[in-house]
Amino acid sequence: MFLSRLSALAPARARAGRSFAALAVAVVLLSACASGPTADPTADWSPNRLHAEAVAERERGNFERAITLFERLEGRAAGTLLAQQAQLEKAFAHYRAGEQAQAIATLDRFMRLHPASPALDYALYLKGLVNFQDNLGFLGFLANVDLSERDQRAARQSFEAFRELVDRFPESRYAPDARLRLAHIVNSLAQSEVNVARYYFSRGAYVAAINRAQVALTDFQGVPAAEEALYLKYRSYQALGMTDLAADARRVLVLNFPQSAFLGQGAAAERAPWWRLW
């Protein structure tokens, strides 16, 4: 009796099991659909609207959202000048967001893909500006910090970008500002060499001090740092007992900087940093 009842229930249980399995599959499929990618709300936007919205987001400070929109615009407008503009706008958004590495990578990609672009001068200018600000630091121009003490790699990269801009596009609207920044960078690089020379001098490494001071004088002519570079050469030759060379270095120092504070006060001379504007 028990076996016959069990046999009678078996088909019903099998049908119930199949129904449960089907329900489980349906639940899984619905869950997968719910967790899948959401529809792109910009799918029906025109390229012009995408650009306008991206710019608006950037101006509101929503840089992540702006970058996403510029990337979508670049894809939809591929092969057009608007796509090139989207790349540059995205680089600028990275720059405004403080993402120097991403900005540089975007600009390098742009220049590699579009070497004849009419906006190449702007790309070079923006690349120089990104590295210039990286060297300057956040509000560094307001702080009592000698910029020549910073790592000069960014300054050198900035120098190369600005120099290429003014050499290749001397009439560019960005060239005048690039020239001003170039002068600032040259001063910074020269002072950086003098800082190293000063360090070597303080350690008694006079030959090394002379060599680094000479780099500042040879590679960066007509810069404020030349005054201290000449003084360090003079004092280093003097310490080495090379009186003729010491006298010659002092003569050049007096000739170029007759009112030099170093002549009377030496290293203790108080001078305002070369980069301060007030």
Side-chain angles (χ1 to χ4, degrees):
M1 176 66 72
F2 178 76
L3 290 176
S4 62
R5 290 177 61 189
L6 183 61
S7 299
L9 289 173
R13 287 181 176 177
R15 288 193 299 272
R18 286 194 295 272
S19 298
F20 179 78
L23 179 61
V25 170
V27 170
V28 170
L29 290 175
L30 288 173
S31 298
C33 291
S35 61
T38 58
D40 181 2
T42 70
D44 60 346
W45 289 8
S46 68
N48 287 337
R49 182 182 175 186
L50 257 179
H51 179 260
E53 292 288 342
V55 171
E57 292 290 351
R58 186 187 64 202
E59 294 307 308
R60 284 193 288 265
N62 299 327
F63 300 117
E64 184 176 352
R65 173 64 174 164
I67 289 167
T68 298
L69 292 176
F70 282 129
E71 287 174 345
R72 289 177 182 170
L73 175 59
E74 182 184 348
R76 290 186 201 174
T80 69
L81 289 177
L82 187 58
Q84 294 184 30
Q85 183 176 350
Q87 283 183 278
L88 293 175
E89 298 263 24
K90 183 176 72 170
F92 184 67
H94 279 305
Y95 164 61
R96 288 282 304 276
E99 299 169 347
Q100 284 92 349
Q102 294 91 325
I104 294 298
T106 301
L107 290 166
D108 284 342
R109 177 173 173 268
F110 174 87
M111 289 186 281
R112 185 173 65 253
L113 294 176
H114 312 290
S117 171
L120 189 60
D121 60 336
Y122 174 73
L124 286 167
Y125 175 74
L126 185 55
K127 183 176 180 179
L129 191 63
V130 172
N131 279 312
F132 183 88
Q133 295 296 337
D134 183 46
N135 181 62
L136 187 67
F138 180 66
L139 295 183
F141 66 96
L142 293 179
N144 190 22
V145 177
D146 190 336
L147 304 184
S148 63
E149 300 285 352
R150 298 171 59 86
D151 187 343
Q152 296 299 300
R153 286 176 296 181
R156 292 184 182 278
Q157 292 169 356
S158 181
F159 177 84
E160 292 301 326
F162 285 138
R163 183 172 64 177
E164 184 176 355
L165 167 60
V166 299
D167 286 348
R168 294 181 60 183
F169 307 100
E171 302 302 320
S172 167
R173 59 183 294 190
Y174 307 106
D177 187 67
R179 291 187 182 95
L180 291 176
R181 294 177 189 274
L182 275 172
H184 176 100
I185 294 169
V186 166
N187 289 339
S188 176
L189 293 174
Q191 188 61 52
S192 181
E193 295 294 336
V194 170
N195 291 344
V196 177
R198 188 192 312 121
Y199 170 79
Y200 282 137
F201 179 80
S202 70
R203 304 286 291 184
Y206 302 119
V207 174
I210 291 169
N211 290 337
R212 295 308 287 261
Q214 188 59 45
V215 169
L217 294 168
T218 303
D219 293 355
F220 310 102
Q221 300 180 5
V223 295
E227 180 182 357
E228 188 176 0
L230 287 168
Y231 172 76
L232 288 169
K233 281 188 65 177
Y234 157 59
R235 292 285 286 114
S236 295
Y237 281 130
Q238 192 177 53
L240 291 169
M242 299 179 175
T243 54
D244 289 344
L245 290 173
D248 186 60
R250 190 180 190 284
R251 178 186 60 80
V252 176
L253 173 60
V254 172
L255 179 64
N256 287 275
F257 303 96
Q259 305 300 320
S260 174
F262 286 107
L263 295 171
Q265 303 176 45
E270 294 185 4
R271 299 180 301 126
W274 59 267
W275 49 269
R276 290 304 292 269
L277 301 179
W278 60 88

